[in-house]
Amino acid sequence: MPLPPDLHVHTEWSWDAGRGSMERSCERALELGLPAIAFTEHAEWNKVHPGQHSVDIAGYFDAIERCRAKFRGLRILSGVELGEPHWFPNETAEVLAAGPLDMVHGSIHCIHMDGGLLDASQFRERAGLDFPAAVREYFRETLVMLNSGLPFETLAHIDYPKRYWLDGVGPYREQDYEPEIRAVLVAAASTGRVLEVNTTRGRILCPDITVVRWWREVGGQAVQYGSDAHDPDRIGEGFKLATQMVEAAGFKAAKDPMGLWRR
Ligand SMILES: [Zn+2]
Ligand SMILES: [Zn+2]
């Protein structure tokens, strides 16, 4: 069984991918026999990390063209991962107008909390943070993004905060946030979005089977896969487990050029 395309990969065109390389990622995708790869660089305008900046979209498109010329046996998809695009409608429109993008992810990384802006990866550094309240705020913000009318097709890493869970606050359980997650899924399904199963470079499935089952229940049509690799060595990591999980939740590999699994 061939692996599906990896539709969420970062390269040197993302500010946080110090080990990223578009060329080596293409080589790795060919080695793995992936049918396609999408380079979905960070298009985001918050400043919560040192050195954080949005993709240089013109330079990025040049790199895509160079790789397409060099790796003719690989389907190379262009893309961006929009971060909180509803907070930056003008910047978002500018990036989307810069050229044809095959793949546009919508992501929430940051929330407003305790009077400031906080990336979920920073939750555990914040002493005394009310984790469940922060996670509820995360899902609320995701719902606002989905209903903002902005043009993105994929809902990326729906339960991103669980990657950064804190030992000692009790385990993350989807059931504890079921109403919030279901509301997000309903909004995604009713706006025709695809749910991403993000394998976090082989570390943790975002989301896991409980949420993919809910996705099916609320009428979600399709699932796609992304490793969120920031390093060529991590491409396609966790995909075997992820496809088995998605199939157990009732979706099947479709004869689909984008590599979707459908109900
Ligand atoms: Zn992300
Ligand atoms: Zn990403």
Side-chain angles (χ1 to χ4, degrees), residues 140-155:
R140 193 200 61 77
E141 198 65 64
T142 305
L143 189 58
V144 174
M145 174 180 74
L146 284 164
N147 289 328
S148 67
L150 285 164
F152 62 88
E153 295 90 38
T154 312
L155 176 60

Side-chain angles (χ1 to χ4, degrees), residues 147-223:
N147 289 328
S148 67
L150 285 164
F152 62 88
E153 295 90 38
T154 312
L155 176 60
H157 51 55
I158 181 174
D159 44 16
Y160 172 79
K162 91 176 172 195
R163 285 184 181 177
Y164 305 103
W165 209 246
L166 188 66
D167 293 337
V169 296
Y172 175 85
R173 298 189 330 135
E174 287 87 353
Q175 289 82 356
D176 295 341
Y177 306 97
E178 182 168 351
E180 290 85 357
I181 295 174
R182 279 185 179 271
V184 166
L185 293 172
V186 166
S190 66
T191 51
R193 262 77 179 225
V194 176
L195 183 71
E196 176 192 64
V197 170
N198 187 305
T199 63
T200 320
R201 315 171 261 288
R203 213 163 53 76
I204 185 168
L205 293 175
C206 288
D208 211 331
I209 191 161
T210 303
V211 173
V212 181
R213 285 194 174 124
W214 291 343
W215 176 237
R216 198 171 190 285
E217 278 174 32
V218 306
Q221 295 294 317
V223 174

Side-chain angles (χ1 to χ4, degrees), residues 8-10 14 16 40-42 44 81 105 107 109 156-157 160 163 196 198 201 227-230:
H8 189 149
V9 173
H10 298 274
S14 285
D16 61 347
T40 53
E41 313 296 350
H42 288 298
E44 58 186 22
E81 177 182 11
H105 298 328
S107 290
H109 300 113
H157 51 55
Y160 172 79
R163 285 184 181 177
E196 176 192 64
N198 187 305
R201 315 171 261 288
S227 66
D228 218 345
H230 286 59

Side-chain angles (χ1 to χ4, degrees), residues 5-222:
D6 193 336
L7 299 178
H8 189 149
V9 173
H10 298 274
T11 73
E12 69 272 30
W13 295 95
S14 285
W15 67 272
D16 61 347
R19 296 165 57 84
S21 162
M22 195 183 284
E23 287 210 10
R24 285 210 299 116
S25 299
C26 292
E27 287 165 5
R28 182 70 184 138
L30 285 167
E31 260 171 49
L32 290 169
L34 299 186
I37 188 166
F39 296 117
T40 53
E41 313 296 350
H42 288 298
E44 58 186 22
W45 299 272
N46 290 308
K47 301 267 182 255
V48 292
H49 303 289
Q52 187 171 19
H53 63 84
S54 188
V55 61
D56 161 12
I57 196 77
Y60 163 81
F61 274 120
D62 289 346
I64 287 278
E65 285 315 313
R66 281 198 300 278
C67 283
R68 281 177 176 158
K70 188 165 176 183
F71 302 98
R72 296 200 175 270
L74 179 66
R75 186 151 184 254
I76 299 171
L77 304 175
S78 61
V80 286
E81 177 182 11
L82 299 172
E84 298 81 28
H86 55 303
W87 296 351
F88 303 95
N90 297 334
E91 291 86 344
T92 298
E94 208 174 298
V95 155
L96 298 181
L101 291 162
D102 302 310
M103 179 92 355
V104 180
H105 298 328
S107 290
I108 298 292
H109 300 113
C110 293
I111 58 165
H112 292 290
M113 197 78 195
D114 301 337
L117 201 58
L118 202 56
D119 190 298
S121 65
Q122 302 166 319
F123 283 3
R124 56 190 173 189
E125 296 155 20
R126 195 59 69 100
L129 181 76
D130 182 339
F131 256 66
V135 171
R136 287 201 170 83
E137 175 59 16
Y138 180 90
F139 290 127
R140 193 200 61 77
E141 198 65 64
T142 305
L143 189 58
V144 174
M145 174 180 74
L146 284 164
N147 289 328
S148 67
L150 285 164
F152 62 88
E153 295 90 38
T154 312
L155 176 60
H157 51 55
I158 181 174
D159 44 16
Y160 172 79
K162 91 176 172 195
R163 285 184 181 177
Y164 305 103
W165 209 246
L166 188 66
D167 293 337
V169 296
Y172 175 85
R173 298 189 330 135
E174 287 87 353
Q175 289 82 356
D176 295 341
Y177 306 97
E178 182 168 351
E180 290 85 357
I181 295 174
R182 279 185 179 271
V184 166
L185 293 172
V186 166
S190 66
T191 51
R193 262 77 179 225
V194 176
L195 183 71
E196 176 192 64
V197 170
N198 187 305
T199 63
T200 320
R201 315 171 261 288
R203 213 163 53 76
I204 185 168
L205 293 175
C206 288
D208 211 331
I209 191 161
T210 303
V211 173
V212 181
R213 285 194 174 124
W214 291 343
W215 176 237
R216 198 171 190 285
E217 278 174 32
V218 306
Q221 295 294 317

